[in-house]
Amino acid sequence: MTTDATTADLTTTAGLLSAIEYPAGREILDPATGEVVGRTREGSAADIDSAVASAREAQTAWAARPIAERSDLLNKAADAVEASAEALAELLSREQGKPLNGPNARFEVGACSAWLRANAAFELEPEILVDDGETHAELRYDPVGVVGAVGPWNWPMMISVWQFAPSLKMGNTVVLKPSEYTPLSVQALVAVVNQALPADVLSVVPGDGAVGAALTSHDGVDKIMFTGSTKTGQAIMRTAADKLARITLELGGNDAGIVLEDADPKAIAGDLFWGAFINTGQTCAAMKRLYVPESLYDQVCEALVEVAGQSPMGVGLEEENVLGPLQNKQQYDIVARLVDAAKNGGARVLMGGDPAADQPGYFYPTTLVADIDNDNPLVAEEQFGPALPIIKYTDLEQAIEWANELEVGLGSSVWGTDIEECKKVAARLQAGSTWINKHGAVDPRVPFGGVKKSGFGLEFGVEGLKHVSVPHVISW
Ligand code: NDP
């Protein structure tokens, strides 16, 4: 680090960078322009050892504080995030690529303070299990200890807060390992939040997947929180078995949306579009395949093309843009391969699908694909980018079967006018969350998690607090 985080002005982007940058470190490039955003330190397994040891030492005193005091500090952390909001959003936009506006960088920083405040407010009282005059039994929730949290590059700040805010509230200390693609955003957020917290309660060790593995396999880590790919989640679960560490896994999905016959295409088009294209499609619980009845098919396609045409894509710091580049080359290649597969399979590209060859940055144009077979790779695999396949159906039973037939089950959605009918279809979908007339609308009060290969464990709300605690029954 060049400047001590305690002396830098963390309300400016330059101040944030001066607090976290490591001049001899690896260059982080803006995915929209290729320009250098900053340089990051690369941690090692030895840094993980030291961070976990410090977190363990700090945990006893942190857990011993009254819960109201920990809540108060989470609110102070939210104040600090709000004071640095614009600087954090700018750094996030430059490193991750997401625009300042739309459901993107400013929105993400706003969610960080919202989740901190919500966790500060939640109450998890002991549950009285039996109280019949002879026996009294109550269930309490104790801290787990040290939480090791590994995060992804799509919502690097917000997902870090999802992991550390409930953990801190419950008296745990936390070591974060951010994605190697977005380490500056998480280090900046931690520098800001740590203005409000005691030393070593929350720390961050940047580095690659090996550094992540050093954290998740560490004997001093009692609970692992992971958000990322199913493959890495499976690897983490294997190593966690040796020490029986507790785990929460929030993995990829391939969320289906089903439009019902009584939906109003024009009325739902905006929410359909943003359900799929939030963060330029790089969102775990975004809609990644849309099933539309034949009777509404052309109208829904036309309405989506219209919304897409009004949603500019470009460099994130330019205020008019609401869609940005893919964050990295690996993800760009996945999207390009899947759209090519759709074209080769005879699907009709309504818009997009033709990336410019000579531009800087990983921009893939907003792409809507119609008349595509349900078994095409663009439908069957997770694209995690700005390309939505729209599949026509004639039989609702068939659409439900298609929605449920994949190995993953994170989110899903049903769109229609008759809410009771929507609820009946929703109840039949295999997913951790099913939204009606919206998609991916997470709320800090409402539990969120996946089924099947989308992972397990719940985040958010009082249920989320239970998942970063250990149950403890006391009876007499
Ligand atoms: P990964 O699962 O590889 O990465 C997620 C995090 O895990 C990163 O911090 C990564 O570090 C770390 N990591 C990698 N290997 C290990 C390991 N063995 N032990 C512990 N931690 C490890 O996801 P990718 O970034 O490669 O993205 C691949 C795909 O995953 C995407 O195409 C998308 O489909 C999905 N994805 C899902 C997300 C979600 O929100 N559920 C978010 C991001 C991606 P490092 O980055 O340094 O390798």
Side-chain angles (χ1 to χ4, degrees):
M1 293 193 190
T2 50
T3 308
D4 194 310
T6 54
T7 58
D9 176 3
L10 301 186
T11 63
T12 67
T13 309
L16 281 176
L17 277 168
S18 75
I20 61 167
E21 252 205 301
Y22 190 69
R26 178 169 59 93
E27 281 182 350
I28 297 290
L29 305 183
D30 182 332
T33 62
E35 286 164 13
V36 177
V37 179
R39 289 173 182 77
T40 183
R41 189 168 67 84
E42 296 282 39
S44 63
D47 293 319
I48 292 287
D49 284 343
S50 141
V52 171
S54 301
R56 187 150 284 287
E57 204 170 319
Q59 196 262 329
T60 310
W62 177 246
R65 288 177 186 245
I67 196 159
E69 211 175 297
R70 294 200 298 268
S71 293
D72 185 43
L73 292 176
L74 290 185
N75 278 323
K76 290 201 164 71
D79 295 342
V81 169
E82 283 161 11
S84 293
E86 199 54 23
L88 286 168
E90 186 184 321
L91 178 60
L92 176 63
S93 175
R94 288 171 57 199
E95 184 183 55
Q96 204 283 337
K98 62 181 71 190
L100 288 172
N101 289 320
N104 293 299
R106 289 182 175 127
F107 170 85
E108 177 166 352
V109 174
C112 291
S113 50
W115 253 263
L116 282 161
R117 291 200 193 286
N119 277 281
F122 295 145
E123 288 183 13
L124 179 53
E125 299 295 337
E127 293 167 30
I128 309 301
L129 305 173
V130 182
D131 189 17
D132 62 4
E134 285 183 25
T135 302
H136 185 96
E138 62 182 48
L139 172 60
R140 310 167 60 84
Y141 293 91
D142 292 348
V144 192
V146 174
V147 173
V150 176
W153 44 261
N154 56 342
W155 295 91
M157 292 186 183
M158 183 176 77
I159 290 176
S160 296
V161 172
W162 290 0
Q163 295 172 329
F164 74 69
S167 301
L168 295 177
K169 164 84 177 205
M170 294 310 293
N172 307 291
T173 52
V174 181
V175 178
L176 298 169
K177 203 301 281 180
S179 165
E180 64 189 290
Y181 293 116
T182 51
L184 298 174
S185 297
V186 178
Q187 290 175 84
L189 175 73
V190 169
V192 167
V193 165
N194 270 344
Q195 295 172 105
L197 299 177
D200 299 328
V201 159
L202 174 67
S203 63
V204 51
V205 180
D208 61 10
V211 176
L215 178 63
T216 55
S217 61
H218 201 286
D219 279 342
V221 169
D222 307 287
K223 161 90 193 184
I224 299 158
M225 300 195 74
F226 173 73
T227 298
S229 65
T230 298
K231 191 163 157 266
T232 306
Q234 288 167 321
I236 287 173
M237 196 164 164
R238 274 183 214 109
T239 54
D242 285 340
K243 54 185 179 134
L244 278 180
R246 281 147 177 80
I247 35 185
T248 296
L249 298 177
E250 202 265 83
L251 310 175
N254 193 344
D255 292 9
I258 301 181
V259 175
L260 302 184
E261 297 265 2
D262 70 346
D264 175 347
K266 275 201 185 326
I268 61 174
D271 289 330
L272 272 180
F273 181 80
W274 286 111
F277 288 88
I278 180 169
N279 200 25
T280 314
Q282 302 162 105
T283 300
C284 46
M287 188 168 60
K288 291 168 183 148
R289 44 197 178 115
L290 177 61
Y291 295 96
V292 180
E294 190 171 22
S295 58
L296 297 180
Y297 194 76
D298 291 342
Q299 293 171 64
V300 169
C301 288
E302 276 164 29
L304 280 171
V305 168
E306 194 179 331
V307 179
Q310 296 159 357
S311 306
M313 176 183 283
V315 175
L317 296 186
E318 293 168 7
E319 297 277 350
E320 70 273 21
N321 294 322
V322 288
L323 295 161
L326 273 312
Q327 204 285 326
N328 53 69
K329 173 80 165 58
Q330 166 189 292
Q331 200 58 49
Y332 179 95
D333 289 344
I334 291 172
V335 175
R337 173 178 64 80
L338 292 175
V339 175
D340 285 349
K343 288 189 208 165
N344 295 337
R348 183 163 55 100
V349 177
L350 298 172
M351 68 182 292
D354 54 349
D358 54 351
Q359 62 180 2
Y362 304 125
F363 286 100
Y364 196 93
T366 306
T367 300
L368 292 164
V369 178
D371 298 337
I372 183 167
D373 295 334
N374 189 55
D375 60 359
N376 188 280
L378 181 61
V379 181
E381 294 177 36
E382 184 187 31
Q383 70 277 47
F384 217 70
L388 179 67
I390 309 165
I391 308 106
K392 189 183 293 172
Y393 76 83
T394 48
D395 172 8
L396 179 58
E397 290 302 313
Q398 173 74 86
I400 294 171
E401 196 182 312
W402 281 339
N404 285 339
E405 73 183 2
L406 299 184
E407 285 187 319
V408 283
L410 190 57
S412 58
S413 57
V414 184
W415 304 74
T417 304
D418 182 338
I419 298 298
E420 290 309 313
E421 282 309 307
C422 290
K423 277 163 63 179
K424 282 185 200 155
V425 176
R428 296 178 60 195
L429 296 180
Q430 296 168 4
S433 301
T434 301
W435 291 278
I436 293 175
N437 291 327
K438 54 189 180 179
H439 196 115
V442 290
D443 180 318
R445 299 163 300 179
V446 180
F448 174 70
V451 298
K452 302 201 277 189
K453 285 191 176 167
S454 291
F456 51 77
L458 286 172
E459 297 180 275
F460 315 165
V462 174
E463 284 304 316
L465 297 183
K466 294 181 185 173
H467 285 254
V468 287
S469 312
V470 278
H472 185 182
V473 176
I474 300 181
S475 55
W476 63 90

